[in-house]
């Protein structure tokens, strides 16, 4: 297996995760799901439970909020869901766009250095206009720059629109 990076992007509830999971299952019978979310409250905990239930027992689940490179997925097919929540975990600590971007790029490069298929899920959060909140504006910049970085490294980029996959790259 050679290294392959796929980025799946789109708005909330556009079908990104479902498409990523279907793609992973089309490539292997035993995919890996890397969940980057920090569980903040009961409502989010329920979302996580529903996602896990939908995936089923053939998935290997890894919960990793920041240090993706801690997990060597050589030879595996992995869905990393999602870049937005992963960046949030760094940004929550630093509140600094440049520092977070540098750390995330370094971690991305370390994680994807092995031969595996990496399916990254991310959000397009900058399409809704400019926020009145300064922190949200900084995070939107961060997310956009990280999405561009991953897309530049990716072999394929797919945009999800209303549950329909549109190949970008």
């Amino acid at each position: 297996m050679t290294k392959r990076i796929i980025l799946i992007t789109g708005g909330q509830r556009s079908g990104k995760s479902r498409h990523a999971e279907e793609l992973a299952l089309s490539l292997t019978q035993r995919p890996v799901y890397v969940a980057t979310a920090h569980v903040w409250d009961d409502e989010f905990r329920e979302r996580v439970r529903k996602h896990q239930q939908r995936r089923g027992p053939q998935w290997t689940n890894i919960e990793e909020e920041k240090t993706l490179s801690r997990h060597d997925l050589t030879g595996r097919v992995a869905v990393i869901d999602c870049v937005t929540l992963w960046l949030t975990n760094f940004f929550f600590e630093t509140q600094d766009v440049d520092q977070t971007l540098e750390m995330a790029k370094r971690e991305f490069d370390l994680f994807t250095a092995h031969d595996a298929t990496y399916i990254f899920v991310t959000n397009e959060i900058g399409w809704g206009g400019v926020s009145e909140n300064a922190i949200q504006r900084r995070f939107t910049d961060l997310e956009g720059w990280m999405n561009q970085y991953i897309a530049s490294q990716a072999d394929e980029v797919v945009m999800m629109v209303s549950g329909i996959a549109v190949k970008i790259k």
Side-chain angles (χ1 to χ4, degrees), residues 29-47:
Q29 294 178 2
R30 301 287 303 158
V32 177
Y33 189 91
V34 182
T36 62
H38 177 85
V39 178
W40 296 98
D41 56 32
D42 289 338
E43 183 273 336
F44 198 79
R45 187 172 288 107
E46 180 61 16
R47 282 179 180 241

Side-chain angles (χ1 to χ4, degrees), residues 7 36 80-89 108 120-123 139 143 146-147 150:
L7 179 64
T36 62
I80 300 86
D81 198 355
C82 76
V83 172
T84 307
L85 296 174
W86 180 59
L87 287 175
T88 299
N89 297 331
F108 173 86
F120 285 89
V121 176
T122 194
N123 290 284
F139 187 81
E143 175 88 13
M146 191 65 196
N147 285 349
I150 295 172

